């Protein structure tokens, strides 16, 4: 019998028992980005990747079997909020490429309107959905600091009125539907 015919299968079995030992990459898919925007991701606090289009992505740093990975969003795209699914795990014994990290982005919009009836030195404080307070120091336009995802409901309330005045809100309840909301009206008298 040929010596090579015996050694080759034994060598193959020996290497197979090592569990692969190779390097692999971490990646996934991005959806919901609009033209001209990008989301910046980072793996394990150092491998940074800017993704500017929907579809698959892969980090450049390779990981070994048993290494942990942890993907984070470090810069949100302009006008959107992105959420992660399956952001962390451990490379399996077969060094399979990780492709199930999912980044889903949703467009966000401004919520605001106008205030009238304030006197000199007066202000009114508003909240959206019981949070995100904004103090409006004069008559004119206002907007909340936090953008609101499309499809989200909003309820604007007055949490502090000027002394001896009552401030009422109209168009205070609604749902963001793919555009900035600018028709919330606060009237103080």
């Amino acid at each position: 019998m040929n010596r090579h015919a015996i050694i080759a299968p034994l060598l193959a079995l020996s290497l197979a028992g090592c569990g692969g030992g190779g390097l692999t990459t971490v990646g996934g898919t991005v959806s919901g980005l609009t033209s001209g925007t990008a989301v910046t991701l980072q793996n394990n606090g150092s491998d940074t990747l800017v993704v500017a289009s929907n579809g698959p992505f892969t980090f450049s740093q390779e990981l070994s079997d048993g290494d942990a990975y942890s993907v984070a969003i470090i810069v949100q795209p302009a006008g959107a909020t992105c959420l992660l699914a399956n952001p962390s795990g451990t490379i399996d014994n077969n060094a399979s490429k990780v492709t199930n990290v999912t980044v889903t982005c949703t467009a966000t919009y401004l919520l605001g309107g106008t205030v009238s009836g304030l006197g000199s030195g007066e202000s009114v404080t508003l909240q959206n959905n019981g949070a995100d307070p904004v103090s409006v120091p004069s008559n004119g336009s206002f907007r909340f600091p936090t953008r609101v995802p499309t499809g989200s409901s909003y309820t604007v309330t007055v949490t502090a009125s000027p002394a001896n005045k009552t401030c009422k809100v109209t168009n205070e309840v609604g749902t963001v539907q793919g555009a900035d909301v600018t028709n919330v009206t606060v009237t103080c008298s």
Side-chain angles (χ1 to χ4, degrees), residues 67-147:
D67 285 349
Y69 63 91
S70 180
V71 177
I73 297 170
I74 59 171
V75 179
Q76 294 279 1
T81 299
C82 300
L83 300 174
L84 282 166
N86 308 313
S88 59
T90 304
I91 303 300
D92 68 23
N93 289 331
N94 295 319
S96 298
K97 181 177 179 178
V98 174
T99 60
N100 69 336
V101 178
T102 304
V103 182
T104 305
C105 302
T106 304
T108 58
Y109 297 93
L110 298 172
L111 172 60
T114 57
V115 172
S116 63
L118 293 177
S120 178
E122 293 180 330
S123 67
V124 61
T125 303
L126 308 170
Q127 285 187 336
N128 175 34
N129 293 330
D132 200 24
V134 62
S135 180
V136 184
S138 61
N139 295 318
S141 64
F142 74 91
R143 69 178 187 197
F144 286 93
T146 303
R147 297 175 67 92

